[in-house]
Amino acid sequence: MNYGSLTFFQISCVSSKGLYKNITSNSNNWIALQFEGWMNVNRNAIGTRVELSLSDGNTLISEVNSGDSRGAGNQMIQHFGLGGNSLLQVKVKWPSGLIQDITVLALNSKHTRGAFRQF
């Protein structure tokens, strides 16, 4: 079951590998978004930008990418910690230029969305 607490595994050529598990207990909100390309958007939707508007007036921004440096890789799921805020709007900017606005998504869960498909 996914409770929104991130766990990650690190491998390094200069130090030992490590598993880091978040064992905190809180009731903060979170949301995870995974994007899938279709037609003229690459399969993993790399380059897709997502903007979340929160109830406190802040905006969270993330972009799907496959890695940041030599030998590094990222998961394709965009995970956002929202604290005690609610989500007002999600704006998805696909690499093709299409922009989609989403106003209703359940908090504390993962959502998968495909390019050019209705939400």
Side-chain angles (χ1 to χ4, degrees):
M1 177 162 270
N2 188 343
Y3 295 103
S5 295
L6 298 179
T7 298
F8 72 93
F9 187 73
Q10 176 182 342
I11 300 174
S12 172
C13 60
V14 295
S15 65
S16 61
K17 57 187 175 251
L19 178 65
Y20 299 88
K21 184 172 182 175
N22 186 342
I23 56 172
T24 59
S25 176
N26 65 51
S27 59
N28 289 335
N29 293 321
W30 60 275
I31 192 164
L33 303 169
Q34 183 171 9
F35 300 101
E36 298 173 344
W38 188 63
M39 303 242 336
N40 60 347
V41 174
N42 62 81
R43 180 179 67 173
N44 292 319
I46 294 171
T48 299
R49 180 182 169 104
V50 60
E51 300 176 6
L52 277 60
S53 299
L54 305 181
S55 58
D56 67 358
N58 285 318
T59 300
L60 304 178
I61 301 171
S62 185
E63 187 169 305
V64 179
N65 63 50
S66 62
D68 291 30
S69 63
R70 180 177 173 259
N74 295 332
Q75 68 172 353
M76 298 292 140
I77 300 169
Q78 306 303 296
H79 188 281
F80 297 91
L82 307 177
N85 293 299
S86 59
L87 186 60
L88 300 178
Q89 182 181 35
V90 176
K91 180 175 283 194
V92 180
K93 297 179 180 180
W94 296 95
S96 65
L98 177 70
I99 297 174
Q100 291 179 307
D101 291 314
I102 311 164
T103 55
V104 179
L105 283 178
L107 296 180
N108 306 318
S109 58
K110 177 186 165 198
H111 302 272
T112 302
R113 298 292 182 239
F116 305 106
R117 298 182 190 143
Q118 292 297 318
F119 290 91

